[in-house]
Amino acid sequence: MHTKIRIPTATVIFFAVWIVAVPDITTVLTVSAAAVHEIGHLAAAHVLGVNVVSFTALPFGADIRFGRVQNYREELITASAGAIANLTVAALLLPMRKQHPWINFFICANTALAVINMLPVKTFDGGGVLKSILLMITDSNTAVKIFRAVSSVFLFSMWIISVYMLFSECSGFSLF
């Protein structure tokens, strides 16, 4: 079975604007860190024998559809694989961080992407990991309640921090 790859027009426009707005190596390195992340998810699915039906590139990540419902262990592994790939690349490059500033930037981009993505928020990979763990150790009603509460606390905290940064730094609405 072949994987259907989609790149919506909005994604193309987003990246075109980004490249025009910031036409330097940091854009390439940031997108490369995101690619490492998504490749991690795809590699984990492949190793587990989970067929990928579709891959849709989005402005802030990707939507990966699998050919079958994953069990909680598989979900935990595939959800965390993106961050693991980012941290692996960062660790491998760490000895070279002082050779060029762009290497250090790439290490930071990979590390930041891994850390942010593993926050236990519903739409982040960390949310999938948390939900899988909760479903493995408790009944589904309790797991969903705990998951929603934790996700809400983290989302609200992120919003408060962004509002604080917006007003203290006067840096722009992109923080929202």
Side-chain angles (χ1 to χ4, degrees):
M1 181 179 229
H2 296 287
T3 302
K4 186 173 186 178
I5 298 173
R6 296 183 204 133
I7 305 173
T9 305
T11 302
V12 174
I13 292 169
F14 173 82
F15 283 107
V17 168
W18 187 7
I19 290 167
V20 169
V22 188
D24 64 23
I25 190 71
T26 61
T27 300
V28 173
L29 294 173
T30 303
V31 171
S32 297
V36 165
H37 185 89
E38 299 308 335
I39 289 168
H41 292 304
L42 296 172
H46 178 74
V47 168
L48 292 170
V50 178
N51 191 35
V52 176
V53 175
S54 70
F55 177 90
T56 304
L58 301 169
F60 299 103
D63 179 39
I64 301 172
R65 302 288 170 158
F66 300 105
R68 63 175 170 79
V69 176
Q70 296 178 295
N71 63 42
Y72 302 136
R73 180 183 152 275
E74 290 172 335
E75 170 64 24
L76 188 140
I77 292 168
T78 57
S80 60
I84 291 168
N86 287 126
L87 293 174
T88 301
V89 167
L92 291 172
L93 292 174
L94 206 52
M96 298 179 274
R97 72 184 179 279
K98 294 185 181 187
Q99 290 179 6
H100 200 285
W102 302 126
I103 293 174
N104 198 48
F105 181 89
F106 192 53
I107 291 168
C108 290
N110 274 282
T111 303
L113 184 58
V115 169
I116 290 169
N117 233 285
M118 288 309 292
L119 292 175
V121 174
K122 183 179 181 180
T123 58
F124 291 3
D125 295 333
V129 169
L130 175 62
K131 193 171 186 180
S132 294
I133 291 170
L134 290 171
L135 288 167
M136 284 191 280
I137 62 173
T138 188
D139 66 278
S140 63
N141 288 335
T142 304
V144 169
K145 287 176 185 175
I146 293 170
F147 175 70
R148 285 182 180 158
V150 170
S151 184
S152 296
V153 166
F154 271 85
L155 276 173
F156 183 73
S157 299
M158 290 167 51
W159 184 79
I160 291 294
I161 291 167
S162 69
V163 169
Y164 170 77
M165 290 173 67
L166 173 69
F167 290 117
S168 68
E169 302 295 324
C170 297
S171 58
F173 287 99
S174 63
L175 290 171
F176 282 107

